[in-house]
Amino acid sequence: MRHMARTVKGGTDARRERWKGHREARRAEFVEATIRAVAQHGPDVGMDEIAAEAGVSKPVLYRHFADKSDLYLAVGQRGTEMLMERLGPAIGLDGPIRTRIKRIVDAYLSVIEEHPNLYRFVVRKSFTDRPVEQDVVTEDKTMIANALARLLGDYLRAFGMDSGGAEPWAHALVGMVQNAGDWWLDRQSMTRASLSGYLTEIIWHALDGLLRSAGVELDPDAPLVADFSADEPRLRLVDAGEA
């Protein structure tokens, strides 16, 4: 009898795990269907359009999401993943400072350009049917700013400078790029490449001013080799032949 009890219990656990995996897979399918519906119908999309895109009835959706706010948060989390899939590599890749700046800025702008309605859907929160405690937009900004703050701090310390300002500067830069992106999505008065170029120049000259205040003059287009693993991180310019 004990052996049978263990077998039944094990079988129940396995079924529970399979059902959990099935529900997670279905939720993911419905999130992707919502993203497609948002792209087609705009940020004011309704549950009818989402259900039609998913090929199910609204009651089926509500079996997998507690309410519209639950679905909104799931879509917001997927949007964060999509953003960081583009931004993470851009932040992590090495290279000349100006190239790194432009790569990061353009990565962000490329995501909102490719998914403008999804961006508006997440930012406006008009889809939700109750207040949500989780602020997806603020969390995204904080995540990006923290990554930039680590990068800025590493560079400042490598040049022997005080890195205390890295965090507020990073948040300021993220806010500037986001606000410029909002304006650009609404106006579409220039290409993404032009906006990336303008923002890159602003950011580079701000950093250049900080470096010069510490007596550091740097060619923004010269390749750099960074060793941030050392106790005292160092940067060095790379000769053209070595690069």
Side-chain angles (χ1 to χ4, degrees):
M1 290 292 291
R2 279 186 204 148
H3 178 71
M4 287 182 61
R6 284 198 299 270
T7 302
V8 170
K9 185 177 184 298
T12 300
D13 289 343
R15 285 194 298 272
R16 187 180 296 116
E17 286 302 313
R18 285 197 298 271
W19 176 241
K20 180 182 177 182
H22 171 74
R23 285 185 60 82
E24 290 175 352
R26 288 294 277 168
R27 276 177 64 96
E29 290 175 11
F30 293 148
V31 165
E32 295 301 327
T34 302
I35 291 173
R36 294 194 301 271
V38 168
Q40 181 177 353
H41 299 285
D44 296 324
V45 66
M47 289 294 280
D48 288 329
E49 290 87 358
I50 294 170
E53 180 63 37
V56 298
S57 64
K58 285 197 295 184
V60 172
L61 286 178
Y62 282 118
R63 283 205 295 268
H64 291 80
F65 298 93
D67 51 27
K68 292 173 68 177
S69 296
D70 186 25
L71 176 56
Y72 163 82
L73 288 175
V75 171
Q77 290 163 0
R78 176 59 185 137
T80 297
E81 292 174 358
M82 293 164 65
L83 178 62
M84 295 312 296
E85 284 167 3
R86 196 77 57 88
L87 265 179
I91 293 173
L93 286 174
D94 214 338
I97 289 182
R98 181 149 55 190
T99 298
R100 296 192 75 172
I101 295 170
K102 188 168 186 178
R103 189 165 55 219
I104 294 168
V105 170
D106 196 62
Y108 172 80
L109 294 178
S110 71
V111 173
I112 66 172
E113 180 184 45
E114 293 172 22
H115 307 281
N117 283 335
L118 176 60
Y119 176 78
R120 295 183 180 107
F121 174 86
V122 174
V123 170
R124 293 179 185 176
K125 298 183 185 177
S126 57
F127 182 78
T128 59
D129 48 11
R130 62 175 169 80
V132 291
E133 296 180 2
Q134 184 179 352
D135 189 332
V136 176
V137 177
T138 298
E139 289 180 0
D140 284 354
K141 289 169 66 176
T142 300
M143 186 185 308
I144 298 167
N146 288 343
L148 290 179
R150 288 191 292 270
L151 181 62
L152 282 172
D154 285 340
Y155 271 111
L156 291 170
R157 284 187 292 273
F159 285 116
M161 299 174 63
D162 176 20
S163 61
E167 192 168 359
W169 290 335
H171 280 269
L173 292 175
V174 169
M176 179 184 71
V177 173
Q178 184 194 28
N179 287 337
D182 289 348
W183 167 85
W184 175 65
L185 277 185
D186 289 337
R187 293 285 298 276
Q188 291 291 314
S189 56
M190 65 178 65
T191 65
R192 190 182 91 212
S194 294
L195 180 59
S196 293
Y198 287 135
L199 292 176
T200 297
E201 286 304 303
I202 292 172
I203 295 170
W204 158 245
H205 285 292
L207 292 175
D208 185 44
L210 289 171
L211 293 171
R212 288 177 184 273
S213 71
V216 177
E217 293 188 21
L218 188 67
D219 181 350
D221 300 312
L224 291 172
V225 169
D227 182 10
F228 295 142
S229 62
D231 292 337
E232 295 183 4
R234 289 288 181 263
L235 290 169
R236 64 184 177 89
L237 290 174
V238 179
D239 294 334
E242 184 181 348

